[in-house]
Amino acid sequence: MTHAPQDRAAAHATTPVGARVETAMRRALALAAQGPSYGPNPRVGCVLLDPGGRTVAEGFHRGAGTPHAEAAALADARSRGIDPRGTTAVVTLEPCAHHGRTGPCADALIEAGVAAVHVAVADPNPVATGGADRLRAVGIEVTTGILADAGENLLRTWLHAVRTGRPYVTLKLATSLDGRVAAPDGTSRWITGSRARAHAHTVRAQVDAIAVGSGTALADDPTLTARTIDGSLFEHQPLRVVVGRRPVPDDARLRGPGGELIHLPEHDPEVVLQRLAEREVRHVLVEGGPTLATALLAADAVDELHAYVAPVLLGAGATAVGDLGVTTIGEAARFTTQDITRLGDDVLMVARRAEPAQSVQPAQSVQSVQSGRLSRHTKEEI
Amino acid sequence: MTHAPQDRAAAHATTPVGARVETAMRRALALAAQGPSYGPNPRVGCVLLDPGGRTVAEGFHRGAGTPHAEAAALADARSRGIDPRGTTAVVTLEPCAHHGRTGPCADALIEAGVAAVHVAVADPNPVATGGADRLRAVGIEVTTGILADAGENLLRTWLHAVRTGRPYVTLKLATSLDGRVAAPDGTSRWITGSRARAHAHTVRAQVDAIAVGSGTALADDPTLTARTIDGSLFEHQPLRVVVGRRPVPDDARLRGPGGELIHLPEHDPEVVLQRLAEREVRHVLVEGGPTLATALLAADAVDELHAYVAPVLLGAGATAVGDLGVTTIGEAARFTTQDITRLGDDVLMVARRAEPAQSVQPAQSVQSVQSGRLSRHTKEEI
């Protein structure tokens, strides 16, 4: 189970103290979001409340090798001359119980004398979990599940990686309205416009790795760097990953300035993801080509789609996705839309893996649920 | 030329009277939009202002066989006991000069003694144009081009039909993210969700005709009716048009309740549109299949796209659009996005024919304009 009983969290929200805890958790989530979305560690924020419910200190994790959020908040309190004894810690992720580069956060909170701890998401990391138990063992009240959905959403790539042992996979598609990524002669610049391309670069700057197939690496000679609108490199450059048997030429631009380059001469998506997990990749952005995209989709390994769609029709040329083994509409790879953003003339659809209940739902039941009286029609109604 | 000098209209907007005229034109446009978007006549609204600039009467055209907007506004004035003499008429379309089922509006305004007439869009209809000249000939001040862009947008389907002699063509596509309209076994219900389908029905209720290819008529046995969410028919049912050589079976649902059915055993898009124009069709919604859509696109006869896109990938199956003769990216059929709307999990992209300057722009110049420093790269950058 990933978080504590909802009824306890819900009861909290109905009391003045509970409302203050929720407000503090919103702030803690906003603080967490200031941390880097890439890297092996989760984004965590922490707010300390005095017994009257007022915020006295806050902190967030700034990435591997820097203090955890709880330690940062305790340090913030001390730098303000505030004794954290008796405060309530509101933390987006269950305080850890393990010795990493820093000591266990649960112990730091115990030593600081905090009176209570409120948590959004329980830590599923087997080497770090147990913080809540450790706190409760010394009599500190611990509540989990406060704004759990928001916490899960913020940490979704990290949680996925920890829970499944493989990276969260975001598949980027940039297509015409008829699903093509290039004209018949192979030309493809540009199907989407400059705003869509600039957006895609900001996504690159948020992930651990970018992967392309070796055929695409050869054909397109990409740099796979994360660049600002003026063409300069973002500070964070993701790992560059080429998947497949074909070699990366010595003069490839992939060998130029940018993130570290690794070549995985593999075809099995599971093996590729395992190899990335071994490199502590929590989130990989897959940018094509169609062969790699199709292999990941067919293996049901795509967690999120970023589909940039341009108001363009080509009628022929390479398609974004090859044969997925789908023969009938009920077998379609179906995602759940999270967000729709207009970018110039293009649209970005962000969609996530549909819940199993939806993806395996046969067309018949989808129809009867969704179409109301239209469902009396037995054939396609257009 | 379609409207009068902008500088005159612009000068108007800078004076108190001009500002009042613009406000009245906005109201006249809103009134016009209350009229039916289907039918042979344009949507027109009219506001009468007294010499102090106050609105004293208003009217709009409710469809063929009913009074024109100017006559409706004059009748409104009289019903309020107001003498329209000396008022200023603010009309979205140049008053007509011809005898149709009603007399010329220009004459009605002259007889009523209006002092000035302000117009958004000049009437391009060869049988009706000349109203402004007729008014000026008797000394009435006429200004055209007031909020001309908004007027052109409101009347775009009608103006297109009158100017070109053929209907405005809206092509509806309902596809997966990879541009497919069906799975390999032909199943397609439902790729898009119930909100997208309900929206498509509201569009049907706004057009003069819906067209499908005869293959689609046979394969899908559609009704091509405009239905509300509860499945009942909208009051207005568009003409149902089947294009192509294959016959419509006697027991086809197309022969059931709904709009009149016509079968055009033609293949040439120009001939089809000519035949529709002869039926006074100003706006036809083309719903497929791919053969008809492709023929219209290849003939550059599509004025507007309504692309409903679902967060679904199929990987195989029929595509929305067949070969358009595009070989390289610079030849792509490119549209200009007007609107992006989320409909449940789906997105609707409404896009219109791009201006010639954009559609014929070679890839090279698009690249240099759009990508700034990225354009120094000579190959595809992904």
Side-chain angles (χ1 to χ4, degrees):
Chain A
M1 90 164 250
T2 59
H3 50 74
Q6 287 297 323
D7 51 355
R8 189 157 180 190
H12 255 266
T14 61
T15 65
V17 170
R20 277 198 293 267
V21 168
E22 275 209 9
T23 301
M25 186 63 82
R26 272 183 233 290
R27 173 65 184 157
L29 288 164
L31 288 164
Q34 293 181 42
S37 58
Y38 48 84
N41 289 359
R43 293 192 282 179
V44 184
C46 178
V47 169
L48 296 181
L49 304 177
D50 70 14
R54 286 173 293 269
T55 297
V56 294
E58 53 185 38
F60 66 95
H61 181 54
R62 293 167 189 269
T66 70
H68 286 190
E70 300 90 329
L74 291 170
D76 182 43
R78 286 173 189 127
S79 76
R80 297 168 188 272
I82 293 165
D83 184 351
R85 198 166 310 270
T87 60
T88 290
V90 178
V91 201
T92 57
L93 181 69
E94 180 184 351
C96 71
H98 81 312
H99 286 270
R101 276 180 272 198
T102 62
C105 291
D107 290 3
L109 292 171
I110 292 166
E111 284 159 23
V114 303
V117 178
H118 298 284
V119 171
V121 178
D123 192 337
N125 192 345
V127 301
T129 194
D133 290 346
R134 203 152 168 156
L135 292 163
R136 288 193 183 107
V138 298
I140 296 175
E141 182 201 351
V142 180
T143 312
T144 62
I146 310 287
L147 300 183
D149 288 349
E152 287 268 334
N153 187 50
L154 179 75
L155 287 172
R156 71 184 184 286
T157 60
W158 183 84
L159 287 169
H160 171 91
V162 169
R163 286 170 183 157
T164 67
R166 70 181 194 195
Y168 188 89
V169 176
T170 294
L171 174 62
K172 172 194 157 187
L173 305 173
T175 68
S176 65
L177 267 174
D178 56 334
R180 304 198 180 269
V181 294
D185 70 350
T187 52
S188 60
R189 66 181 306 181
W190 297 106
I191 290 175
T192 54
S194 56
R195 284 192 56 193
R197 298 198 303 277
H199 186 279
H201 276 275
T202 67
V203 175
R204 285 181 174 182
Q206 293 167 23
V207 300
D208 297 310
I210 305 178
V212 296
S214 57
T216 293
L218 269 177
D220 294 344
D221 192 19
T223 65
L224 297 187
T225 51
R227 295 190 300 281
T228 62
I229 287 175
D230 71 7
S232 58
L233 298 181
F234 279 104
E235 189 179 336
H236 168 66
Q237 289 297 321
L239 185 67
R240 298 183 281 189
V241 182
V242 174
V243 176
R245 300 267 160 85
R246 296 203 241 176
V248 179
D250 287 344
D251 63 348
R253 293 198 294 177
L254 276 169
R255 299 188 185 280
E260 182 189 352
L261 172 69
I262 62 171
H263 182 198
L264 301 177
E266 309 287 351
H267 276 160
D268 182 342
E270 288 300 329
V271 174
V272 170
L273 295 178
Q274 186 53 43
R275 295 286 299 278
L276 293 176
E278 290 161 7
R279 305 271 316 207
E280 293 200 311
V281 170
R282 309 291 196 197
H283 187 183
V284 60
L285 176 66
V286 176
E287 299 211 7
T291 306
L292 180 58
T294 304
L296 288 163
L297 285 163
D300 195 22
V302 174
D303 301 295
E304 188 164 312
L305 282 181
H306 286 196
Y308 300 88
V309 183
V312 169
L313 294 168
L314 282 162
T319 54
V321 174
D323 192 351
L324 300 173
V326 171
T327 58
T328 191
I329 193 72
E331 300 167 358
R334 200 169 277 274
F335 293 78
T336 300
T337 301
Q338 295 298 316
D339 202 30
I340 300 283
T341 307
R342 180 172 176 174
L343 297 166
D345 260 6
D346 307 322
V347 66
L348 166 61
M349 175 181 267
V350 172
R352 298 196 190 141
R353 178 196 299 280
E355 294 302 312
Q358 287 174 259
S359 60
V360 301
Q361 203 169 23
Q364 185 59 33
S365 62
V366 170
Q367 162 201 329
S368 58
V369 168
Q370 294 189 337
S371 64
R373 284 179 60 184
L374 295 182
S375 65
R376 68 202 157 147
H377 300 306
T378 53
K379 290 189 181 179
E380 169 70 64
E381 167 59 58
I382 71 165
Chain B
M1 97 161 245
T2 60
H3 51 73
Q6 288 295 325
D7 51 354
R8 188 155 179 189
H12 254 267
T14 60
T15 65
V17 170
R20 277 198 293 267
V21 168
E22 276 209 10
T23 302
M25 187 63 82
R26 272 182 233 290
R27 172 65 183 157
L29 288 164
L31 288 165
Q34 293 181 43
S37 59
Y38 49 83
N41 289 358
R43 293 192 283 178
V44 184
C46 178
V47 169
L48 295 181
L49 304 178
D50 70 14
R54 286 173 293 268
T55 297
V56 294
E58 52 185 40
F60 66 95
H61 180 55
R62 294 168 189 269
T66 70
H68 286 192
E70 300 90 329
L74 291 171
D76 182 45
R78 286 174 187 126
S79 76
R80 297 168 188 273
I82 293 166
D83 183 351
R85 198 167 309 270
T87 60
T88 291
V90 178
V91 201
T92 57
L93 182 69
E94 180 185 350
C96 70
H98 80 311
H99 287 270
R101 277 181 272 200
T102 60
C105 291
D107 290 2
L109 293 171
I110 292 167
E111 284 159 24
V114 303
V117 178
H118 299 284
V119 170
V121 178
D123 192 338
N125 192 343
V127 302
T129 193
D133 291 344
R134 202 151 169 155
L135 292 163
R136 288 192 183 110
V138 297
I140 296 174
E141 182 201 351
V142 180
T143 310
T144 61
I146 310 287
L147 300 183
D149 287 350
E152 287 268 334
N153 187 50
L154 179 77
L155 286 173
R156 71 185 185 285
T157 59
W158 182 85
L159 287 169
H160 172 92
V162 168
R163 286 171 183 157
T164 68
R166 69 182 195 193
Y168 188 89
V169 176
T170 293
L171 174 62
K172 172 195 156 186
L173 305 173
T175 68
S176 64
L177 267 173
D178 56 334
R180 303 197 182 270
V181 295
D185 69 350
T187 52
S188 60
R189 63 181 308 182
W190 297 105
I191 290 175
T192 54
S194 57
R195 285 193 53 196
R197 298 198 303 278
H199 185 279
H201 276 275
T202 66
V203 175
R204 285 181 174 183
Q206 292 166 24
V207 299
D208 297 310
I210 306 178
V212 295
S214 57
T216 294
L218 269 176
D220 294 344
D221 192 18
T223 65
L224 298 187
T225 51
R227 296 189 300 281
T228 62
I229 287 174
D230 71 6
S232 58
L233 298 182
F234 279 104
E235 190 179 333
H236 168 66
Q237 290 297 320
L239 184 68
R240 298 183 280 190
V241 183
V242 174
V243 177
R245 301 266 162 85
R246 296 204 242 175
V248 179
D250 287 345
D251 62 349
R253 292 197 294 176
L254 276 169
R255 298 188 185 281
E260 183 189 351
L261 172 68
I262 62 171
H263 181 199
L264 301 178
E266 309 288 351
H267 276 160
D268 182 343
E270 288 300 327
V271 174
V272 169
L273 295 179
Q274 187 52 44
R275 296 287 298 276
L276 293 176
E278 289 160 8
R279 305 271 316 206
E280 293 200 313
V281 170
R282 309 291 197 198
H283 187 184
V284 59
L285 176 67
V286 176
E287 299 211 8
T291 307
L292 180 58
T294 304
L296 288 163
L297 285 163
D300 195 23
V302 173
D303 301 294
E304 187 164 311
L305 282 181
H306 286 196
Y308 301 88
V309 183
V312 169
L313 294 168
L314 282 162
T319 54
V321 173
D323 192 351
L324 300 173
V326 172
T327 57
T328 192
I329 193 71
E331 300 167 358
R334 201 168 277 274
F335 293 78
T336 300
T337 301
Q338 295 298 315
D339 202 31
I340 300 284
T341 307
R342 179 171 176 174
L343 297 166
D345 261 5
D346 307 323
V347 67
L348 166 61
M349 175 181 267
V350 172
R352 298 196 190 141
R353 177 197 300 280
E355 294 301 314
Q358 286 174 260
S359 60
V360 299
Q361 205 168 22
Q364 186 58 35
S365 64
V366 170
Q367 161 201 329
S368 57
V369 169
Q370 294 187 337
S371 63
R373 284 180 58 182
L374 295 182
S375 65
R376 68 202 158 148
H377 299 308
T378 53
K379 290 188 181 181
E380 168 71 63
E381 169 59 58
I382 71 165

